[in-house]
Amino acid sequence: MVIGGWLLEWFFRKGSKESKVLILFKINESVVYEGRGVYNIENIDRLDFLNTKEMYYILKPVCKDGGTIYIKTNNDKVSMRKVITKEKAEKYLDDLPKMPGIYDENDRVRDKEYQSVLKSCECGKCFGMLKGIMHEQKSREESGKKLSISDDKNLQRVEHLLFSELAIVFDTTFERIEAKIAKLLKVA
């Protein structure tokens, strides 16, 4: 049931009279969804075209063209979180120069780890991934080489995820965030 923009779901334990109210996300709230970027919760409702009683979050992308995403409100296999606060974002940026980068020398291990990081949407890990790939990119450029196709793709994905979130948090552009991070990592 949706009350005042908040989703309240009643979960009943089998054979028990106990129930819990779980408050998740509210309508018009910005969330980060599974390595895809920042979305706005446009509505929380049942879907007419599915003929089901289950409730869904109806998500619209904020920073990139794309279609609507429908996610069951009780789906525990999906990583979705609120956009970080400005204070937390500032802390991540302050810590970024001394934060360890994530970059395994084994391509397969690295790619698997990056997929896990992107799916988790954990900011700290995403910053570590970004730093690791950007430092590898700089190192390769100095020796006249390019990033591997896989690393380049993962760099684009993590940049989109982090930069779009930070652009919303700081009410600025993707490009300004990109320049600020390049300066912090001294890779510009």
Side-chain angles (χ1 to χ4, degrees):
M1 139 182 14
V2 179
I3 300 174
W6 289 92
L7 172 69
L8 304 176
E9 284 194 31
W10 295 90
F11 293 93
F12 296 96
R13 293 188 190 156
K14 215 172 195 175
S16 171
K17 294 183 181 179
E18 292 181 38
S19 64
K20 292 190 225 176
V21 176
L22 180 63
I23 300 175
L24 302 170
F25 303 105
K26 65 181 183 176
I27 295 171
N28 294 322
E29 189 167 30
S30 292
V31 295
V32 178
Y33 170 63
E34 263 193 13
R36 293 191 185 183
V38 181
Y39 286 78
N40 190 51
I41 298 177
E42 185 176 87
N43 201 0
I44 304 168
D45 207 351
R46 290 180 179 82
L47 302 178
D48 296 335
F49 57 87
L50 284 183
N51 194 20
T52 179
K53 293 183 179 185
E54 292 183 287
M55 299 293 285
Y56 284 78
Y57 294 113
I58 302 167
L59 307 178
K60 293 281 187 182
V62 172
C63 292
K64 192 175 179 183
D65 293 334
T68 301
I69 295 179
Y70 304 95
I71 302 170
K72 290 180 185 177
T73 57
N74 63 354
N75 188 341
D76 60 354
K77 294 177 182 149
V78 171
S79 294
M80 194 164 71
R81 64 169 173 77
K82 293 179 182 182
V83 170
I84 60 174
T85 63
K86 190 173 185 175
E87 294 75 25
K88 193 159 190 153
E90 287 169 346
K91 174 99 171 90
Y92 278 121
L93 292 175
D94 289 344
D95 293 346
L96 186 58
K98 53 190 175 277
M99 184 184 293
I102 299 173
Y103 196 86
D104 195 290
E105 291 302 316
N106 182 309
D107 292 348
R108 288 182 188 206
V109 170
R110 183 175 64 248
D111 201 46
K112 189 173 183 177
E113 183 175 19
Y114 286 169
Q115 297 317 308
S116 175
V117 166
L118 290 167
K119 185 168 175 59
S120 77
C121 298
E122 290 182 42
C123 271
K125 289 181 180 180
C126 286
F127 275 110
M129 177 180 164
L130 175 73
K131 184 174 183 177
I133 298 173
M134 288 180 90
H135 277 277
E136 178 66 15
Q137 182 180 42
K138 183 178 181 184
S139 172
R140 285 179 172 253
E141 284 174 356
E142 288 170 354
S143 31
K145 299 177 183 175
K146 292 183 178 182
L147 276 178
S148 69
I149 292 170
S150 179
D151 282 347
D152 188 54
K153 179 180 148 191
N154 284 321
L155 178 60
Q156 289 175 24
R157 291 180 69 198
V158 76
E159 282 177 337
H160 170 70
L161 185 65
L162 284 173
F163 298 176
S164 60
E165 181 172 12
L166 294 173
I168 297 227
V169 169
F170 292 112
D171 192 25
T172 189
T173 65
F174 188 95
E175 293 75 21
R176 285 190 176 153
I177 295 296
E178 185 175 34
K180 181 177 181 97
I181 294 207
K183 183 178 176 184
L184 285 169
L185 295 177
K186 296 179 176 69
V187 293

